[in-house]
Amino acid sequence: MQLQGRSVVQGPTVIALERGHQPATTQAGTQAFVPLHPELARHSFCKNTTLVWSLQSRARQLCRPSLQFRVSAQAGSPSRQRNIQQIPIFPLGMVALPGAVCPLNIFEARYRVLFSTLLAGDDGVEDGLINHESPFCGSKRFGISHMNSEGRVSEVGTLLKIEGHRKLPDGQITTFNRGLERYKIMKVVQKQPILIAEVEMMPAEDDASPKARQLAAELVTIVKQLIELNVKARKIKADESDLNPPELNDLYPTRLSFFVASLLLDNYMQQQALLSLENTVERLEVEIEVLGNTLRYLSARFALQGAFAPSTSETEAEGDRPPSASGPD
């Protein structure tokens, strides 16, 4: 599958450029620090090669240690009524987050059949591609789970709903999808031609506690400072909506934590670790640590660049100086 070269966030914070896709088959390898499902040891997929520039990329090596052990160290959740479902899962080299828009371009034959089946009943769907016997027929819902470079699929993913689609002249399908809720893979039901798994939906988060609100306000301040620093460093013309994205002021702490995670476009392992955290407060704390380190690093770098840049008077004096009369040595 080819991913659209588009960022969830518009403006000066991130810039993404599409560079195409490259089919690849990967082998199982060493398990990464985010939870990976052991049954998904090998999978054929089209590797995402989207080229992304983002402000946070400058200090991603500073951020990983703070996330490494937090996911595996979480305690189990209290007893509750479990929500178990079977869903088709799309393993991709990206991370889908709750609330985020995720456009996809469907071109591989088996996935055209899957998405035509999911879209059954909508206008413009080719009936010959619909599997009317599928339990997912017309459901418009599917999962995305991150696949790492070693072909291992993370057990925590996001359920998405197709909100719109467009059929292209060559038969490909563009779908516009939004993340709904998170799941954990419990059992793989089918691997080919489409991955189907039994999943447990994770508890919905809606933390509006004083602690969460305090951390959210601190995180918003850091993100705004990063945007402002980015604008100055790259000499971008930005209006108020660019410097102060409405999402930073309108979202409650839980949604804000997922929105900020979506800004880390060039570090999918960090995004997966943040997605896997079950606690809003802990997710906000990690993001404050990650982006706080980034802000300090970039602020110091920007200050050093300014300190060693030639002054205007020095530049003018250099330009007024007559050329040397002597020739080369």
Side-chain angles (χ1 to χ4, degrees):
M1 169 173 289
Q2 183 176 3
L3 299 179
Q4 298 289 334
R6 175 183 171 184
S7 165
V8 175
V9 185
Q10 303 300 320
T13 309
V14 290
I15 299 172
L17 301 175
E18 183 177 0
R19 197 174 64 182
H21 67 278
Q22 174 186 354
T25 301
T26 62
Q27 302 287 343
T30 305
Q31 179 168 321
F33 64 79
V34 294
L36 299 168
H37 200 280
E39 293 186 56
L40 306 175
R42 180 184 174 91
H43 221 281
S44 178
F45 73 109
C46 287
K47 182 169 57 179
N48 173 29
T49 57
T50 299
L51 176 65
V52 177
W53 181 95
S54 80
L55 183 61
Q56 291 83 357
S57 67
R58 300 293 185 181
R60 59 179 177 268
Q61 296 301 328
L62 299 176
C63 308
R64 290 186 177 183
S66 65
L67 298 176
Q68 187 161 1
F69 299 106
R70 298 201 184 212
V71 176
S72 59
Q74 293 181 108
S77 56
S79 177
R80 60 180 178 82
Q81 186 175 359
R82 302 174 70 186
N83 180 3
I84 308 293
Q85 302 181 24
Q86 280 192 15
I87 60 171
I89 292 178
F90 206 159
L92 289 173
M94 59 162 287
V95 178
L97 292 144
V101 175
C102 179
L104 299 172
N105 187 38
I106 315 299
F107 66 91
E108 195 174 342
R110 56 178 174 158
Y111 288 114
R112 287 172 57 193
V113 171
L114 170 63
F115 279 83
S116 295
T117 300
L118 296 175
L119 288 165
D122 275 19
D123 295 335
V125 180
E126 188 175 344
D127 189 69
L129 293 177
I130 298 175
N131 179 3
H132 293 279
E133 303 301 318
S134 169
F136 313 117
C137 187
S139 68
K140 297 185 179 179
R141 284 168 166 77
F142 66 100
I144 286 183
S145 287
H146 176 258
M147 178 186 292
N148 70 8
S149 60
E150 297 169 337
R152 303 292 298 277
V153 176
S154 298
E155 68 177 8
V156 175
T158 298
L159 181 71
L160 294 95
K161 179 182 179 181
I162 305 173
E163 295 188 332
H165 75 281
R166 180 174 65 246
K167 184 177 179 180
L168 305 179
D170 59 1
Q172 297 183 33
I173 307 170
T174 298
T175 62
F176 304 96
N177 321 283
R178 184 175 296 277
L180 298 178
E181 55 185 319
R182 298 172 300 155
Y183 60 77
K184 287 183 179 179
I185 296 176
M186 308 301 293
K187 181 174 67 174
V188 174
V189 177
Q190 171 185 301
K191 290 185 179 180
Q192 297 292 342
I194 299 296
L195 176 61
I196 297 175
E198 185 176 279
V199 303
E200 180 178 3
M201 294 300 164
M202 297 175 68
E205 291 183 56
D206 188 18
D207 190 346
S209 65
K211 177 66 172 179
R213 288 181 178 274
Q214 174 190 346
L215 292 170
E218 184 177 348
L219 181 60
V220 166
T221 299
I222 292 173
V223 172
K224 288 182 178 179
Q225 289 174 341
L226 281 169
I227 293 174
E228 183 178 355
L229 184 61
N230 181 32
V231 169
K232 289 181 179 178
R234 303 184 66 234
K235 299 180 180 178
I236 299 172
K237 291 183 178 179
D239 56 28
E240 180 60 27
S241 62
D242 294 325
L243 295 172
N244 189 18
E247 293 89 349
L248 296 180
N249 303 312
D250 298 342
L251 296 177
Y252 287 103
T254 298
R255 285 298 184 188
L256 176 70
S257 70
F258 288 125
F259 171 75
V260 171
S262 74
L263 303 181
L264 303 174
L265 287 178
D266 58 341
N267 198 326
Y268 297 125
M269 296 303 287
Q270 280 188 356
Q271 285 186 322
Q272 183 61 42
L274 290 168
L275 179 72
S276 301
L277 291 172
E278 298 181 1
N279 184 286
T280 296
V281 166
E282 188 171 13
R283 191 179 304 109
L284 291 169
E285 288 175 339
V286 170
E287 289 169 341
I288 288 171
E289 181 179 352
V290 167
L291 297 186
N293 286 340
T294 304
L295 179 61
R296 286 186 287 273
Y297 171 84
L298 292 177
S299 297
R301 181 175 177 178
F302 187 66
L304 286 172
Q305 287 176 342
F308 288 101
S311 65
T312 304
S313 59
E314 290 174 344
T315 305
E316 292 175 350
E318 184 71 24
D320 294 338
R321 184 179 303 166
S324 174
S326 61
D329 294 334

